[in-house]
Amino acid sequence: IIQNADGSAVTKADGSPMPKPTPMRLYAPALGSGVDAMCGTFDVEPFSGGGASACSERFLCGSLDSDFEKCMQAISCKMHVEMKSKTSPDFANMVAVFMQQMIPHHANAVNMANIVFKQVPAAKISAALEKDGMTNMLMEIVNNQNYQIHQFRNYLAGLPAEKKSEIRTKGLEVASAVTVHLSHRLWFAISLVVVGRIASIVCMSEPP
């Protein structure tokens, strides 16, 4: 329930009481287990090594023998799959398509930030940038992008019923399209053969 800073009840502008002055039950928080508990992520375990939705493509170079690398591989797999499978093939509503693409993209950023919180000692995060800038940046990613995900979902939920049905039933038709997300600091070069999948990832021995 919303209260004033002094603990008194919030009222309407005219001083009359709010329609629901009593506290409402909170929803049960999602509790991760297995891979998600290790990584600090949400709904990533199926995309991890050996999972039902694990990718054959490699999204990180190296041996992937650390928990940090395995977590990063899993979230990249999840984003890669969902950006292809959860997008409507009807491009008439470009705003909707943008949001469908951005939801897994934002979720990946949130998961990535949470992996850093989970796997990297707090002292190292604080020391990465002056004035604890890295910690603040990670928290901003989690809070802002989660909020934007809710905004996207609210918009998509408000689409006409027939359009939402079309998005659900036809979304998998674009699974053969290749969606490649390029960061401005990728440490590897990607070679593509346009046959519906990534052909190879050529790893660089040193960062540029």
Side-chain angles (χ1 to χ4, degrees):
I1 187 171
I2 300 175
Q3 293 182 324
N4 294 316
D6 61 2
S8 61
V10 174
T11 62
K12 294 181 181 180
D14 61 3
S16 60
M18 298 292 285
K20 293 182 178 180
T22 56
M24 299 177 66
R25 290 181 61 87
L26 297 176
Y27 62 85
L31 300 176
S33 61
V35 171
D36 286 303
M38 177 184 75
C39 298
T41 52
F42 175 72
D43 197 29
V44 168
E45 184 159 3
F47 302 91
S48 62
S53 301
C55 298
S56 59
E57 293 87 354
R58 290 283 295 273
F59 301 100
L60 279 81
C61 298
S63 57
L64 300 187
D65 56 357
S66 70
D67 288 344
F68 179 81
E69 292 171 313
K70 292 174 183 177
C71 292
M72 286 292 190
Q73 167 69 19
I75 65 169
S76 294
C77 171
K78 176 180 170 67
M79 181 184 74
H80 181 80
V81 170
E82 292 185 348
M83 286 185 76
K84 292 190 294 185
S85 65
K86 294 190 176 182
T87 301
S88 171
D90 180 6
F91 294 100
N93 188 339
M94 290 180 283
V95 171
V97 172
F98 166 81
M99 292 182 180
Q100 291 167 345
Q101 289 274 284
M102 287 303 290
I103 288 172
H105 186 278
H106 274 31
N108 185 68
V110 172
N111 276 327
M112 190 178 294
N114 282 328
I115 289 171
V116 175
F117 277 133
K118 187 74 172 181
Q119 294 285 327
V120 181
K124 283 192 175 183
I125 298 174
S126 296
L129 297 173
E130 62 180 18
K131 297 181 179 179
D132 209 8
M134 186 67 180
T135 302
N136 294 332
M137 188 182 301
L138 293 171
M139 293 180 69
E140 287 174 358
I141 289 172
V142 171
N143 292 328
N144 293 341
Q145 299 208 28
N146 267 329
Y147 175 70
Q148 290 170 357
I149 288 172
H150 282 297
Q151 290 181 302
F152 296 152
R153 287 175 174 165
N154 286 340
Y155 173 87
L156 294 172
L159 293 177
E162 63 273 14
K163 182 59 63 178
K164 286 188 285 186
S165 176
E166 182 178 336
I167 290 172
R168 287 194 300 268
T169 57
K170 292 186 178 180
L172 293 176
E173 294 177 12
V174 295
S176 62
V178 177
T179 302
V180 181
H181 169 69
L182 294 177
S183 167
H184 69 293
R185 288 186 178 271
L186 274 180
W187 284 12
F188 50 82
I190 297 178
S191 173
L192 294 179
V193 175
V194 186
V195 292
R197 61 174 295 158
I198 294 178
S200 62
I201 297 178
V202 181
C203 297
M204 301 177 65
S205 58
E206 295 292 338

